Amino acid sequence: MHGPPLVEWLLVALSAATGAYGLHRARAGAAGERRAACGDALMGLGMAVMALPAVTSAGRPWGAGVFTAVFAAAGLYAVGSYATGTCAAGRRAAGRVGRPYRRAADPHHAVGAFAMAYMALAMAGGHHHRAGTPLLTGLLLVYFAGDVVRSATALVPAPSPAPSPGPPPHPLPVRPTVTRRELTRACRISMGMGMLTMLLMM
């Protein structure tokens, strides 16, 4: 990757914090939620390691091969888990299975994992010039930009209902809180922005 050291270190810190929160989420929740949290943790920590200036400037081919193998395997696992979960949901809807359905893995993790593998391959030979395929890089930029916008839109609070006629009630003090779902969406936004940054620095 080609970028200022300050940007690379900010990307490392943001990705590491996102991955750490994914590990924290993986300690509780249903099976599908734990898989999604593990996927977020892998993506965040992997982005943090790949963005390290020492890694990007080392130029070791075996490092890019390790990253490619790890993220390609993670992408294939996400695709297989999603396909298996979709088939299980169809069988359950048809009444052919009696066990409870576990939520399938988010296909977004498969796209992210394959994008990381693509960037790892580009790291092998792109230290002195622009790497990667422009068309594929552009498609990934469009995808992650759209995902960031969609996730940010979901964080916008819904408008409050119109007040009823009559004397205004005495409002109770409300302490603002951040839900776990909002934190998860915020982490997804940060990872999407991190992916955009890494793709632009290729």
Side-chain angles (χ1 to χ4, degrees):
M1 292 186 295
H2 309 270
L6 177 61
V7 175
E8 293 181 351
W9 282 112
L10 287 175
L11 181 59
V12 169
L14 183 64
S15 302
T18 304
Y21 180 68
L23 291 177
H24 174 72
R25 286 170 45 219
R27 297 173 57 186
E33 295 176 354
R34 289 197 300 269
R35 284 198 301 270
C38 289
D40 291 342
L42 175 63
M43 294 297 297
L45 297 177
M47 288 169 59
V49 174
M50 284 183 62
L52 282 171
V55 175
T56 57
S57 61
R60 298 185 178 92
W62 61 265
V66 171
F67 282 125
T68 303
V70 170
F71 287 111
L76 291 174
Y77 174 79
V79 170
S81 179
Y82 178 75
T84 303
T86 302
C87 293
R91 292 195 302 268
R92 183 170 180 265
R96 290 195 290 268
V97 295
R99 62 179 182 275
Y101 165 63
R102 296 184 300 175
R103 191 179 65 175
D106 192 347
H108 173 75
H109 290 137
V111 178
F114 288 132
M116 294 289 288
Y118 165 68
M119 288 189 290
L121 282 175
M123 285 172 56
H127 297 284
H128 303 289
H129 53 81
R130 291 289 176 179
T133 305
L135 177 60
L136 182 54
T137 303
L139 290 175
L140 290 173
L141 285 171
V142 171
Y143 172 81
F144 286 106
D147 182 71
V148 167
V149 172
R150 184 180 66 86
S151 300
T153 304
L155 284 177
V156 177
S160 57
S164 58
H170 296 285
L172 297 175
V174 178
R175 184 179 180 181
T177 58
V178 179
T179 64
R180 185 170 180 174
R181 179 174 295 182
E182 290 172 343
L183 282 175
T184 302
R185 287 173 177 168
C187 287
R188 180 157 176 166
I189 292 173
S190 66
M191 282 195 296
M193 294 177 65
M195 293 292 292
L196 289 173
T197 304
M198 293 178 71
L199 287 167
L200 289 173
M201 291 195 304
M202 283 177 55

